[in-house]
Amino acid sequence: MFERSRELAEIKKVLVTGGAGYVGSALVPKLIDAGYLVNVLDLYLYGDDVFGDHHSHPNLRQVRGDLRDRSVIEDAVKECDAVIHLACISNDPSFELNPELGKSINLDAFRPLVEISRGAGVQRFIYASSSSVYGVKEESDVHEEMTLEPLTDYSKFKAECEEILSEYQSDEFTTTTIRPATVCGYAPRQRLDVVVNILTNLAYHKREITVFGGEQLRPNIHIADMVEAYFVLLKAPKEKIAGETFNAGYRNMKVMEIAEVVKRVVEEEFPDLAPIEIERTESDDNRSYRVTSDKIAEKLGFVPQFTVE
């Protein structure tokens, strides 16, 4: 999927904010392998070794700094053609540990980043929002034109940043928002707080998966597909993505269904270990999230290739 020509498109240099995080640690090496020059802006809270053999690659420039510092942004975005903005406090529980800190990073720093990027001559700005901005919907196919009903500060600020970004769309500055489903799978900077990864961790180490409720629907996307989606947005003709918003997901699965898939796959991979039990308990959080990704398939030809399995 990721084999690409060394002949570069119009976009040659990319800034990835939060590039040392979960998705960034998988994306940045692929960008370098595809021939892009890559700047990474990150605090590197989880260490410096997330890029492995690419750590000292001549096409990688790592900027250790705070997204809220204008001088750091000005340095990081210098001579870049595109920005992929991943950096944020990345889930509701983490955000709630320090809401003021979360707001300063997830919302307050956003407009300055966009303005500095535009002023520096960036051609394309890709914003990683979240499918959580829809809130809980009864409809089976939640698409990009539906009203946003975010339920938490994390998702409210994601929605607000989408609105801010839309103000800056122009012929010279192409803005695009992607609303990913919950990402799963392995990356060098691994996350174990997302549903498929949580259940896999429990299955392997504890031999027991605890499911709270189980009927709740969750949309998922494999990290390799998430990386591919960013390539698609980088390479798409600007008239196809200018001012647009795209969902990106594989399929909506019940949490219990995910648990059963995890149990089967882990038991098949490690037949000598003890069988895995699924323990179901009641939950007062029965929120279901579901999205459809027809638009990105029809408009840009992006269809996920990897299943939860």
Side-chain angles (χ1 to χ4, degrees), residues 44-117:
Y44 292 90
L45 293 176
Y46 300 97
D48 300 330
D49 58 351
V50 293
F51 301 127
D53 293 341
H54 294 78
H55 181 76
S56 57
H57 197 284
N59 286 358
L60 173 64
R61 179 173 175 243
Q62 300 184 68
V63 180
R64 185 189 299 269
D66 194 317
L67 186 69
R68 297 166 294 178
D69 186 330
R70 291 185 65 94
S71 63
V72 169
I73 297 172
E74 289 166 356
D75 178 41
V77 79
K78 197 178 300 179
E79 298 179 350
C80 287
D81 306 306
V83 172
I84 299 175
H85 181 43
L86 306 179
C88 69
I89 304 296
S90 58
N91 59 26
D92 291 329
S94 295
F95 190 97
E96 290 162 6
L97 286 172
N98 190 332
E100 185 177 336
L101 174 69
K103 179 176 181 291
S104 72
I105 294 169
N106 289 18
L107 179 61
D108 298 341
F110 186 72
R111 188 182 293 273
L113 172 65
V114 176
E115 289 183 345
I116 292 168
S117 298

Side-chain angles (χ1 to χ4, degrees), residues 2 33 60 97 115 118 135 209 228 232 247-248 265:
F2 296 117
D33 287 345
L60 173 64
L97 286 172
E115 289 183 345
R118 184 182 63 172
I209 301 172
E228 178 67 7
V232 168
N247 293 340
V265 170

Side-chain angles (χ1 to χ4, degrees), residues 6-296:
R6 287 306 234 180
E7 290 183 16
L8 295 174
E10 182 182 6
I11 293 171
K12 299 179 181 179
K13 189 170 186 177
V14 183
L15 168 63
V16 183
T17 72
Y22 179 42
V23 173
S25 68
L27 172 62
V28 168
K30 297 295 183 184
L31 288 171
I32 294 169
D33 287 345
Y36 289 95
L37 304 172
V38 182
N39 287 1
V40 170
L41 171 57
D42 204 293
L43 285 171
Y44 292 90
L45 293 176
Y46 300 97
D48 300 330
D49 58 351
V50 293
F51 301 127
D53 293 341
H54 294 78
H55 181 76
S56 57
H57 197 284
N59 286 358
L60 173 64
R61 179 173 175 243
Q62 300 184 68
V63 180
R64 185 189 299 269
D66 194 317
L67 186 69
R68 297 166 294 178
D69 186 330
R70 291 185 65 94
S71 63
V72 169
I73 297 172
E74 289 166 356
D75 178 41
V77 79
K78 197 178 300 179
E79 298 179 350
C80 287
D81 306 306
V83 172
I84 299 175
H85 181 43
L86 306 179
C88 69
I89 304 296
S90 58
N91 59 26
D92 291 329
S94 295
F95 190 97
E96 290 162 6
L97 286 172
N98 190 332
E100 185 177 336
L101 174 69
K103 179 176 181 291
S104 72
I105 294 169
N106 289 18
L107 179 61
D108 298 341
F110 186 72
R111 188 182 293 273
L113 172 65
V114 176
E115 289 183 345
I116 292 168
S117 298
R118 184 182 63 172
V122 166
Q123 304 166 40
R124 187 166 299 196
F125 192 105
I126 300 167
Y127 174 51
S129 183
S130 168
S131 59
S132 67
V133 296
Y134 294 112
V136 175
K137 301 285 192 187
E138 293 302 320
E139 293 87 351
S140 58
D141 292 318
V142 177
H143 56 77
E144 292 85 349
E145 302 308 314
M146 285 187 169
T147 303
L148 304 188
E149 299 176 287
L151 299 174
T152 65
D153 282 348
Y154 167 78
S155 53
K156 287 175 185 175
F157 294 154
K158 285 288 187 183
E160 285 187 44
C161 287
E162 291 188 18
E163 292 181 16
I164 291 169
L165 186 61
S166 68
E167 299 173 17
Y168 292 85
Q169 166 61 37
S170 69
D171 286 343
E172 294 77 33
F173 189 65
T174 300
T175 65
T176 306
T177 292
I178 190 164
R179 295 174 181 158
T182 302
V183 183
C184 62
Y186 174 75
R189 189 353 225 152
Q190 182 67 350
R191 278 181 64 178
L192 295 172
D193 62 315
V194 286
V195 62
V196 174
N197 297 359
I198 290 172
L199 300 187
T200 305
N201 186 24
L202 290 171
Y204 181 79
H205 287 103
K206 302 292 187 183
R207 317 307 296 172
E208 180 177 284
I209 301 172
T210 302
V211 175
F212 297 95
E215 293 301 303
Q216 309 97 316
L217 285 163
R218 294 290 182 267
N220 298 279
I221 185 169
H222 193 280
I223 195 163
D225 284 319
M226 194 68 250
V227 166
E228 178 67 7
Y230 287 115
F231 272 100
V232 168
L233 293 177
L234 280 176
K235 290 181 170 290
K238 75 174 186 178
E239 60 270 16
K240 288 193 173 185
I241 66 167
E244 295 285 353
T245 299
F246 299 97
N247 293 340
Y250 155 62
R251 60 179 280 217
N252 305 297
M253 297 174 68
K254 292 181 179 179
V255 175
M256 181 55 76
E257 184 182 1
I258 295 172
E260 290 167 349
V261 168
V262 168
K263 169 181 164 65
R264 174 173 54 79
V265 170
V266 175
E267 285 182 340
E268 287 174 355
E269 287 294 317
F270 304 97
D272 296 334
L273 298 180
I276 296 161
E277 302 294 328
I278 298 178
E279 179 181 325
R280 185 174 191 161
T281 63
E282 294 301 315
S283 173
D284 57 4
D285 182 2
N286 293 306
R287 294 175 295 177
S288 284
Y289 299 95
R290 51 174 79 81
V291 297
T292 178
S293 300
D294 292 345
K295 178 180 176 180
I296 196 170

